[in-house]
């Protein structure tokens, strides 16, 4: 499984998105708080509490000088309603008036009537400015140093809370769209592919785009789907091979069984007169068909053991020259009968083979028997061996009629026979399993086998088998 780059990880994107969302929310809240704080502390005639106190005191002084009976509450409400910063007007006659009465719910500050005209002072209670009418101080204007905390909460709380909720909802929506949207779509696609795979469609594949955990899971899912497809194909091929094998076995076994049954029924008929010579001939045919049936069954069992993995090749070292000698000795009567010329060519540098000596001999014996069966009178059988990059290269060549090109792709199939095409009806046919057994033995030993026609005529079988290690070689005497 490929390693996920950290910045493509789904978890990293979620963490990064959360950090960015939180940072944006805090930054926006901070900026909004600063703006609201600036607004609540904004003064029309300056930017300090003293300037606000002086401004309000001058306005009230002028208004009271012009109209001593002025309604201060109404005047302050009409002329100072746009000032958000709270201030208090404390008159000598005991009146207490403010533009923001709620800011002084805990009580107004004590009056400070002293101070020069138009002047002011700062104390623990804030900034003060006198109100003078007709040369007499009639009151003071007090501006607290900062609004009380609950006033700030009342002023800022609803706005900050609403803004925070809006930002949180918008940020969550954007994060979900950017982070979880593509992931959600790919997971839905993966779900659809998994459903299709469950319905038996092994050719479906999930998208591996991205680079996060979802794409890693998609790659693992695709590997699983490919493995299931291979298994399904192998199972289907195995089922087809099983059906074909049953049909081939039934056909091959039916021929000798039919002959045996026919001759046995004839021999058991009392009303059919048979002389001793005819009876002996019938029994001879039955005996031959019985041996043929036994050979077919033996070859089937042998092939089943080789292809079923029930037999492991031994770790024996086999000399190729000795192997060729035993092959020729085994078929010597047939070679002499057909006056066949044998040529054994073994390169001196050819290393020994490694594997099961009996199985290797069986493979070469079957190839030689197949060649001898199709060789005409006076033909030539060549057994050649030489070193090969893969181990040892063995060639079995004959000067017979060769194999028709359209038969070559099927020459190693079970029960496949091209005898009539190669040598005519006079050639004795085998069980059709010999070359299949050869291929199974060669593959069991980690080798390969091919069949072709020589340029000058005749069939050529080339076998490549692994060689024994050069150090500590122990040669198996066949």
């Amino acid at each position: 499984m490929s390693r996920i780059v950290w910045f493509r990880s789904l978890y990293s994107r979620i963490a990064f998105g959360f950090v960015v969302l939180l940072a944006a929310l805090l930054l926006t809240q901070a900026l909004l708080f600063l703006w609201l704080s600036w607004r609540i502390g904004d003064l029309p005639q300056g930017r300090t509490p003293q300037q606000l106190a002086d401004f309000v005191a001058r306005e009230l002084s002028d208004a009271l000088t012009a109209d001593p009976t002025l309604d201060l509450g109404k005047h302050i409400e009409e002329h100072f309603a746009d000032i958000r910063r709270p201030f208090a007007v404390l008159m000598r006659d005991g009146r207490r008036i403010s533009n923001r009465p709620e800011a002084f719910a805990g009580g107004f500050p004590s009056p400070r009537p002293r101070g020069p005209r138009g002047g002011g002072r700062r104390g623990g209670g804030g900034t003060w400015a006198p109100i003078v009418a007709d040369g007499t101080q009639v009151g003071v204007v007090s501006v607290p140093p900062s609004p009380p905390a609950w006033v700030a909460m009342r002023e800022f709380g609803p706005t900050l809370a609403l803004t925070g909720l809006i930002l949180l909802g918008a940020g969550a929506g954007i994060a979900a769209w950017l982070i979880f949207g593509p992931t959600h779509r790919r997971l839905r696609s993966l779900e659809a592919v998994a459903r299709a795979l469950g319905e038996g469609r092994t050719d479906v594949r999930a998208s591996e785009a991205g680079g996060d955990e979802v794409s890693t899971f998609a790659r693992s899912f695709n590997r699983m789907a490919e493995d299931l497809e291979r298994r399904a194909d192998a199972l289907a091929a195995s089922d087809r091979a099983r059906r074909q094998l049953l049909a081939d076995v039934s056909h091959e076994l039916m021929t000798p069984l039919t002959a045996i049954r026919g001759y046995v029924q004839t021999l058991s008929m009392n009303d059919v007169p048979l002389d001793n010579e005819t009876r002996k001939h019938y029994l001879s045919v039955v005996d031959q068909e019985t041996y043929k049936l036994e050979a077919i069954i033996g070859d089937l069992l042998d092939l089943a053991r080789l292809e079923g993995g029930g037999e492991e090749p031994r770790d024996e070292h086999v000399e190729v020259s000795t192997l060729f000698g035993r092959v020729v000795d085994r078929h010597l009567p047939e070679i002499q009968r057909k006056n066949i010329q044998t040529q054994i060519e073994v390169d001196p540098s050819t290393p020994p083979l490694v594997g099961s000596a009996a199985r290797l001999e069986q493979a070469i014996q079957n190839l030689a028997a197949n060649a001898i069966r199709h060789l005409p009178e006076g033909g030539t059988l060549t057994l050649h061996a030489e070193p090969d990059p893969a181990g040892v290269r063995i060639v079995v060549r004959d000067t017979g009629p060769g194999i028709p090109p359209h038969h070559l792709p099927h020459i190693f199939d079970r029960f496949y026979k091209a005898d009539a095409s190669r040598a005519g009806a006079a050639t004795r046919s085998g069980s059709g399993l010999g070359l299949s057994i050869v291929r199974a033995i060669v593959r069991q030993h980690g080798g390969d086998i091919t069949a072709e026609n020589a340029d000058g005529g005749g069939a050529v079988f080339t076998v490549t088998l692994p060689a024994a290690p050069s150090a500590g070689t122990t040669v198996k005497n066949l």
Side-chain angles (χ1 to χ4, degrees):
M1 184 176 64
S2 60
R3 186 180 180 87
I4 300 175
V5 183
W6 69 268
F7 58 83
R8 289 186 175 179
S9 172
L10 178 61
Y11 302 109
S12 298
R13 292 207 301 266
I14 293 175
F16 181 75
F18 174 77
V19 171
V20 171
L21 175 62
L22 184 61
L25 180 62
L26 293 177
L27 179 61
T28 305
Q29 292 279 56
L31 293 175
L32 181 61
F33 180 81
L34 291 176
W35 180 73
L36 292 175
S37 299
W38 173 80
R39 284 196 62 193
I40 200 171
D42 190 20
L43 308 176
Q45 300 295 327
R47 290 292 184 266
T48 66
Q50 183 63 60
Q51 291 174 337
L52 175 61
D54 293 340
F55 169 73
V56 175
R58 285 195 301 269
E59 290 288 331
L60 293 179
S61 296
D62 294 341
L64 288 173
T65 299
D67 184 8
T69 63
L70 179 69
D71 186 350
L72 288 177
K74 184 177 181 181
H75 182 80
I76 290 174
E77 181 181 355
E78 291 177 353
H79 292 81
F80 302 106
D82 58 336
I83 298 178
R84 299 180 63 84
R85 182 131 188 183
F87 62 85
V89 176
L90 311 175
M91 303 301 290
R92 284 184 180 274
D93 57 10
R95 286 179 292 174
R96 304 290 188 266
I97 306 169
S98 174
N99 66 328
R100 302 287 179 185
E102 65 275 6
F104 300 96
F108 286 89
S110 300
R112 302 290 181 89
R114 298 183 302 274
R117 175 182 173 87
R121 63 182 274 184
R122 290 185 177 87
T127 301
W128 304 81
I131 302 174
V132 179
D134 294 329
T136 303
Q137 182 175 341
V138 296
V140 295
V141 176
S142 175
V143 179
S146 60
W150 67 270
V151 174
M153 288 297 298
R154 183 185 60 81
E155 292 287 338
F156 302 158
T159 303
L160 292 177
L162 180 61
T163 305
L165 290 176
I166 294 175
L167 289 174
L168 186 61
I174 294 173
W177 180 62
L178 293 178
I179 298 175
F180 299 104
T183 303
H184 175 72
R185 288 190 293 271
R186 286 189 291 149
L187 286 176
R188 291 299 299 270
S189 175
L190 188 59
E191 178 188 3
V193 172
R195 188 180 298 110
L197 184 64
E199 294 172 355
R201 294 172 50 194
T202 58
D203 59 329
V204 294
R205 295 294 182 270
S207 173
E208 299 181 7
D212 54 8
E213 290 78 5
V214 178
S215 61
T216 301
F217 180 70
R219 284 192 292 271
S220 300
F221 180 86
N222 288 340
R223 301 298 89 76
M224 179 194 70
E226 291 172 0
D227 184 62
L228 288 177
E229 186 176 20
R230 286 194 297 268
R231 291 174 181 269
D233 293 342
L235 193 61
S238 176
D239 184 67
R240 290 192 299 269
R242 179 184 61 84
R243 294 175 182 272
Q244 185 63 39
L245 178 62
L246 288 176
D248 294 340
V249 169
S250 301
H251 174 76
E252 292 297 324
L253 295 181
M254 187 60 65
T255 301
L257 285 175
T258 302
I260 292 173
R261 183 179 61 183
Y263 282 106
V264 169
Q265 288 177 350
T266 302
L267 290 172
S268 62
M269 292 180 181
N270 297 326
D271 55 344
V272 177
L274 297 174
D275 54 34
N276 290 335
E277 195 67 28
T278 302
R279 187 179 298 273
K280 184 183 297 185
H281 173 69
Y282 285 179
L283 290 175
S284 174
V285 172
V286 171
D287 184 63
Q288 292 176 6
E289 295 297 327
T290 304
Y291 277 115
K292 184 177 180 181
L293 184 62
E294 183 181 359
I296 294 175
I297 295 174
D299 287 344
L300 283 171
L301 293 175
D302 208 13
L303 187 60
R305 282 194 296 268
L306 290 169
E307 294 184 344
E311 176 183 311
E312 293 293 333
R314 299 177 183 177
D315 191 15
E316 300 172 344
H317 297 172
V318 183
E319 279 288 359
V320 180
S321 57
T322 306
L323 180 63
F324 284 173
R326 288 182 62 86
V327 170
V328 173
D329 292 341
R330 167 68 175 79
H331 298 282
L332 189 58
E334 186 72 10
I335 290 173
Q336 292 177 345
R337 186 182 67 82
K338 299 179 70 173
N339 194 25
I340 295 174
Q341 303 295 320
T342 58
Q343 296 179 358
I344 298 179
E345 304 170 353
V346 180
D347 191 291
S349 59
T350 303
L353 300 173
V354 61
S356 174
R359 286 299 187 186
L360 291 174
E361 180 183 354
Q362 180 184 7
I364 306 302
Q365 291 280 12
N366 284 1
L367 290 178
N370 183 73
I372 293 172
R373 184 164 56 248
H374 299 94
L375 272 173
E377 293 283 343
T380 301
L381 171 65
T382 302
L383 303 177
H384 175 84
E386 61 183 5
D388 187 84
V392 179
R393 183 169 177 265
I394 297 176
V395 178
V396 178
R397 183 187 300 112
D398 65 65
T399 58
I403 305 171
H406 62 278
H407 287 298
L408 281 174
H410 311 285
I411 200 67
F412 295 105
D413 294 347
R414 295 186 186 96
F415 299 110
Y416 191 84
K417 300 177 184 179
D419 298 337
S421 301
R422 290 188 66 181
T427 301
R428 181 172 54 88
S429 174
S431 66
L433 294 172
L435 293 180
S436 299
I437 292 175
V438 171
R439 182 176 62 177
I441 293 174
V442 171
R443 289 183 175 177
Q444 184 192 49
H445 284 74
D448 190 25
I449 182 171
T450 59
E452 59 183 346
N453 290 315
D455 294 338
V460 179
F461 289 87
T462 304
V463 180
T464 304
L465 291 168
S470 56
T473 298
T474 302
V475 178
K476 175 72 175 181
N477 293 322
L478 295 171

